[in-house]
Amino acid sequence: MHPSPRILAICLPRWKTDCARREAARRGERLPREVPTIVISVVRAQRIVASCCARASRAGVHPGMSLAHARALCPKPRHEAPECPEREQALLRACALWCQRYAPITMIEPSPGPCAIIVDLTGCERVHPCETTLARRVESELARLGCVARVAIASTAAAALALAQESSARDLASCSVRALRVEGAAVAALALVNVRTIGELAALPRASLPSRYGEALLRRLGEAVGEVAEFIVPIRAEPPPSAEWIFNGPVTNREAVERATGELVEEVCAKLLARGRGGREFELLACCADAPAQTLRLTLGAASVRSRHVMRMLAPRLERMPMGMGVESLRVAVLRMGRLGAGDGIAEWIDTLVARLGSSGVVRAGFVENHDPARATAWIRVTRGGFSLQAAFRDASVAAVGAWRPSFAAATPERIEVAQAHAPTLRWRRHEVALAAWHGPERIASPWEGTSADYWRVCTPEGRWLWLRRCGSEWTLAGVWS
Amino acid sequence: MRRIPDTLRERLAALGDPCAGTLGIPGIPGIGDAQHDLALGVVHEWMSVEEPPPLAHDGWIAPHGALVALAWRVVLSPHWSMVAERRVAWVGRRVWPSPRSMIDEHGSRALLAASLFIDPAPTERVSGEPIRTERSNRLWAAEQALACDGICAVIFDADGFDMVASRRTQLASVRARDRPAVLAIAVRPWSQRAELTAAVSRWAIRPVPSDASAPSWSAELMRGRSVAGFAQVGQRMLLRASWSWCGGESPRVRSA
């Protein structure tokens, strides 16, 4: 028994303005939310409004209006951007691919009307047990990406689309005929006979509809109520580029293998560059005669299209690769792609260091929740989680930010003696050191473990500041402002 | 006749007279006064003066506080405005300051976010690779960091670097004219204060008493070559680093 189909429709009524704002953000322009956005198209040498955001709509701007009129209604500051159908379509495709996180089959709705994406949820009930929660989640996640989205779930794609387009409608019958995405002429002709909703349209005799209002209307109505089958043609993400080299028989010469690998890497990088993406993870598969196939995986710190850098990382491992009785074929594939970075050389520099020193060779500083200052520091590998260094410092563990800590913390606390006969004096490594200044105590305690210690900042007459720890009657040197 | 590539010619020319004026880089504004800036694109040596009782059980301790104050200058200086993200590389575990001391009293973690710490003696080794000493790895990592355009300052442990090694770091610190210049600080132990190296200046860092209830250090020029700011060989200059933990000031370095 087949499960009953469930289709999620995402209607993007302000897609053009969303794209314009996204493009502005990509260029680094700062656009506050309250700035209205107008997308302009040129029709017969006249600039007209192609789309506008909700704020501009409230000011009275609507698509089709001349730009001069819109400017009069919507004062500055406002953001004006030219229409770019190619970019909007590319972003819509990217958005449809992004929606595959909800279900594996997604489609860009081809019928005329506002941009929309269809997601086939059939069979994903266990993943998304509650449809209402899913719809809210999709809307909020798209809103976080800067897209205005209206979402509806129904048994057919046409019904879900109609409900998503008309958010005020309670059911399909109360949706307007326009929501069926048919031509405007048919909608106007139906309005003449006072048929405005899908419910009223469904009550008409079906046989008379095609001759009066066209075939498309009957087909869309049939699709909406589930009488006519509708086809969802899923979009597929383009596979990452790869290149293959087949030798004329097993090759035992390592230099030849390295040369061929270099050419394959160059080919793959050229393909990546053509797509405007970079490779983050590469794989070299070498099929050897009389030996198992060898796989070398290379992960870069940041996406790159520089074949020279990839080969520099790959070459030392290629040198040690067992070749058996010779290599018969080579294949270089990109396993993971990423956005190309600023190209200041930091990522390549870190890759070079990690290749020689290991992943623990390049670290950044972080903090962990620990009451003991000596154990509150963590060294985090840079290769873990890419280069989002800022993200590593969002932890709120350093609550006592104003409390200064010494620049050198003693790995093993050293015992000292503190005497307070006449003036505070330190006896340290057989030296009597008088104290010129002291601050404290600062109590650092762990209520959970039931331990506590007092810390003092003391200064020697020479100006050397020390951090002393007193636990019970025992004094130790915890650190130095070196 | 063999032609020398222009880049190599430029580097050799810069090496011949390693002064800031030749490089067209005025040093870091604000570290000293107008005549006493630390020149960029050349290696400066900093060493912490060891007086009894010695701070460390074994070996030596780098002048972390003064280095942190200097690194703050790099992060805050307008000089590297052309660099999208400023980075400071700390090469060698001995020069790594305690991360808590890198947060200023206002809670700013800009220096921590800009810092990358390089451990030239990692525990993980690639199997089959010939084992390299910690010193050779440290020298190599310092060279790599100095040559990387995205790094504004490199603070590296130069313990045991001989004349050849120091020349290598000096050569790596010279970048092309259109690239952002690097502040290179080689940190050495006090016991090597008499050794000759290719660094253009050598500074002794020692704590000084201050009235502000805050750690202070003085940086005293021990020797210097013809670098802008200390044109005469042997001229001495006092550079004081201080910060305040109870006041509202950010760490700073100022000339006395």
Side-chain angles (χ1 to χ4, degrees):
Chain A
M1 180 185 163
H2 293 290
S4 61
R6 297 304 288 168
I7 308 291
L8 180 138
I10 304 166
C11 184
L12 304 158
R14 312 270 180 197
W15 185 246
K16 283 179 189 290
T17 49
D18 293 342
C19 290
R21 289 185 80 91
R22 198 178 173 81
E23 181 64 18
R26 197 184 62 81
R27 284 198 305 265
E29 292 177 31
R30 202 166 164 272
L31 276 181
R33 194 169 285 180
E34 58 273 9
V35 173
T37 308
I38 296 172
V39 177
I40 310 157
S41 65
V42 180
V43 178
R44 291 177 192 161
Q46 191 190 2
R47 290 192 293 173
I48 61 165
V49 176
S51 176
C52 60
C53 69
R55 196 166 287 272
S57 286
R58 281 200 290 278
V61 181
H62 59 80
M65 181 185 274
S66 75
L67 180 61
H69 192 180
R71 280 178 176 170
L73 290 170
C74 192
K76 282 187 177 178
R78 62 173 178 270
H79 177 61
E80 293 175 6
E83 191 183 29
C84 183
E86 296 83 20
R87 189 180 64 216
E88 286 156 15
Q89 197 60 30
L91 277 174
L92 189 62
R93 183 182 162 78
C95 187
L97 287 172
W98 181 86
C99 286
Q100 286 183 351
R101 64 189 55 207
Y102 304 117
I105 296 174
T106 59
M107 177 185 79
I108 298 170
E109 174 60 32
S111 59
C115 294
I117 292 167
I118 303 292
V119 181
D120 189 354
L121 293 177
T122 313
C124 300
E125 292 83 3
R126 287 181 179 237
V127 185
H128 312 294
C130 177
E131 289 183 351
T132 316
T133 314
L134 173 66
R136 277 197 210 131
R137 194 181 128 206
V138 174
E139 272 183 356
S140 64
E141 286 183 356
L142 281 168
R144 216 176 299 143
L145 292 177
C147 304
V148 180
R150 287 204 296 261
V151 176
I153 301 175
S155 301
T156 63
L161 263 178
L163 287 166
Q165 262 177 259
E166 306 224 338
S167 54
S168 58
R170 298 185 65 183
D171 54 0
L172 185 62
S174 59
C175 288
S176 72
V177 179
R178 191 182 297 276
L180 280 180
R181 293 185 162 237
V182 289
E183 288 178 3
V187 177
L190 282 165
L192 286 176
V193 294
N194 213 16
V195 173
R196 297 180 194 281
T197 62
I198 294 176
E200 291 164 358
L201 177 67
L204 294 179
R206 301 285 170 91
S208 63
L209 288 181
S211 57
R212 289 184 181 179
Y213 307 107
E215 290 277 350
L217 181 70
L218 185 64
R219 183 171 50 80
R220 291 298 291 175
L221 181 64
E223 285 176 355
V225 297
E227 291 171 358
V228 177
E230 53 189 354
F231 297 99
I232 293 178
V233 183
I235 61 162
R236 295 269 179 245
E238 208 177 338
S242 63
E244 197 171 13
W245 187 298
I246 299 170
F247 294 103
N248 293 327
V251 171
T252 51
N253 188 344
R254 199 170 284 274
E255 281 182 15
V257 172
E258 284 176 12
R259 186 79 180 268
T261 310
E263 293 203 9
L264 290 177
V265 168
E266 268 184 30
E267 190 182 333
V268 163
C269 287
K271 286 180 185 173
L272 281 170
L273 194 60
R275 285 197 206 179
R277 305 274 287 171
R280 185 82 199 274
E281 204 172 336
F282 292 82
E283 186 188 65
L284 170 70
L285 178 72
C287 294
C288 307
D290 291 339
Q294 298 293 323
T295 309
L296 298 183
R297 278 198 180 181
L298 174 71
T299 306
L300 300 181
S304 174
V305 287
R306 288 191 58 192
S307 56
R308 209 173 142 195
H309 173 62
V310 177
M311 269 315 285
R312 199 164 54 211
M313 296 294 101
L314 211 53
R317 300 171 63 188
L318 206 56
E319 280 174 11
R320 300 193 303 269
M321 184 181 77
M323 287 175 28
M325 301 296 287
V327 176
E328 290 176 327
S329 70
L330 290 168
R331 180 185 157 83
V332 172
V334 179
L335 299 183
R336 195 150 52 99
M337 293 192 291
R339 194 176 296 171
L340 284 170
D344 56 356
I346 285 284
E348 292 187 3
W349 171 68
I350 289 177
D351 285 338
T352 311
L353 287 177
V354 168
R356 174 157 166 174
L357 304 176
S359 60
S360 61
V362 189
V363 293
R364 63 194 182 208
F367 301 104
V368 290
E369 291 280 2
N370 201 314
H371 76 285
D372 187 358
R375 289 183 287 168
T377 304
W379 299 104
I380 308 156
R381 296 176 188 193
V382 172
T383 46
R384 187 175 296 165
F387 299 111
S388 57
L389 291 175
Q390 297 289 349
F393 301 115
R394 287 198 196 116
D395 55 348
S397 58
V398 189
V401 158
W404 283 92
R405 292 288 178 264
S407 53
F408 177 79
T412 50
E414 185 184 349
R415 281 193 67 171
I416 53 171
E417 290 172 28
V418 176
Q420 278 185 323
H422 303 291
T425 312
L426 214 69
R427 187 170 172 78
W428 178 30
R429 296 189 193 166
R430 299 177 189 172
H431 284 82
E432 291 280 345
V433 181
L435 296 182
W438 52 92
H439 294 278
E442 178 190 354
R443 174 154 292 192
I444 299 177
S446 168
W448 181 261
E449 294 176 16
T451 57
S452 68
D454 290 336
Y455 288 83
W456 297 73
R457 298 186 303 246
V458 300
C459 182
T460 63
E462 294 81 32
R464 173 85 67 197
W465 283 82
L466 310 170
W467 206 37
L468 306 185
R469 178 178 189 271
R470 188 182 68 182
C471 190
S473 60
E474 189 181 86
W475 288 83
T476 48
L477 179 69
V480 182
W481 277 268
S482 55
Chain B
M1 179 184 154
R2 288 179 64 190
R3 293 190 59 188
I4 301 173
D6 288 345
T7 51
L8 181 58
R9 195 188 299 276
E10 276 181 18
R11 294 174 81 179
L12 288 172
L15 273 183
D17 184 12
C19 74
T22 309
L23 296 170
I25 299 157
I28 309 174
I31 282 204
D33 50 35
Q35 288 90 37
H36 299 115
D37 279 339
L38 272 184
L40 303 181
V42 289
V43 175
H44 304 276
E45 283 182 350
W46 281 30
M47 41 184 65
S48 194
V49 177
E50 282 180 12
E51 289 163 350
L55 283 178
H57 278 297
D58 49 344
W60 53 285
I61 293 180
H64 296 109
L67 290 171
V68 167
L70 188 71
W72 265 111
R73 270 287 158 206
V74 172
V75 172
L76 300 176
S77 167
H79 182 78
W80 283 279
S81 54
M82 78 291 273
V83 181
E85 256 183 293
R86 297 176 191 197
R87 302 275 189 213
V88 179
W90 304 79
V91 184
R93 271 190 172 269
R94 275 191 194 275
V95 298
W96 293 6
S98 167
R100 287 289 287 266
S101 68
M102 297 170 81
I103 303 175
D104 80 347
E105 63 266 37
H106 306 300
S108 170
R109 302 180 185 194
L111 178 57
L112 269 181
S115 292
L116 285 168
F117 301 89
I118 297 151
D119 183 4
T123 49
E124 285 181 16
R125 295 271 182 195
V126 181
S127 60
E129 189 112 359
I131 295 171
R132 297 183 181 91
T133 61
E134 190 265 352
R135 183 188 157 280
S136 68
N137 267 348
R138 186 152 39 85
L139 173 60
W140 173 81
E143 274 184 304
Q144 293 287 328
L146 288 166
C148 179
D149 291 337
I151 294 177
C152 301
V154 180
I155 295 163
F156 59 97
D157 174 6
D159 181 15
F161 283 10
D162 55 6
M163 181 60 93
V164 175
S166 64
R167 268 188 199 280
R168 279 174 60 179
T169 54
Q170 175 63 51
L171 187 66
S173 65
V174 182
R175 292 180 183 168
R177 282 172 195 272
D178 57 337
R179 304 289 183 189
V182 65
L183 174 69
I185 303 289
V187 184
R188 293 172 75 94
W190 183 243
S191 57
Q192 296 172 11
R193 61 188 177 277
E195 289 186 11
L196 288 176
T197 59
V200 297
S201 69
R202 180 170 288 173
W203 299 78
I205 315 293
R206 56 163 59 90
V208 290
S210 68
D211 304 331
S213 302
S216 304
W217 302 271
S218 73
E220 187 183 347
L221 184 71
M222 296 163 69
R223 35 181 299 264
R225 285 174 14 195
S226 57
V227 181
F230 12 94
Q232 295 172 11
V233 175
Q235 182 181 347
R236 291 200 167 210
M237 189 182 78
L238 200 67
L239 198 78
R240 181 174 292 169
S242 69
W243 88 66
S244 161
W245 64 44
C246 42
E249 301 170 44
S250 59
R252 66 188 187 278
V253 181
R254 65 167 185 264
S255 64

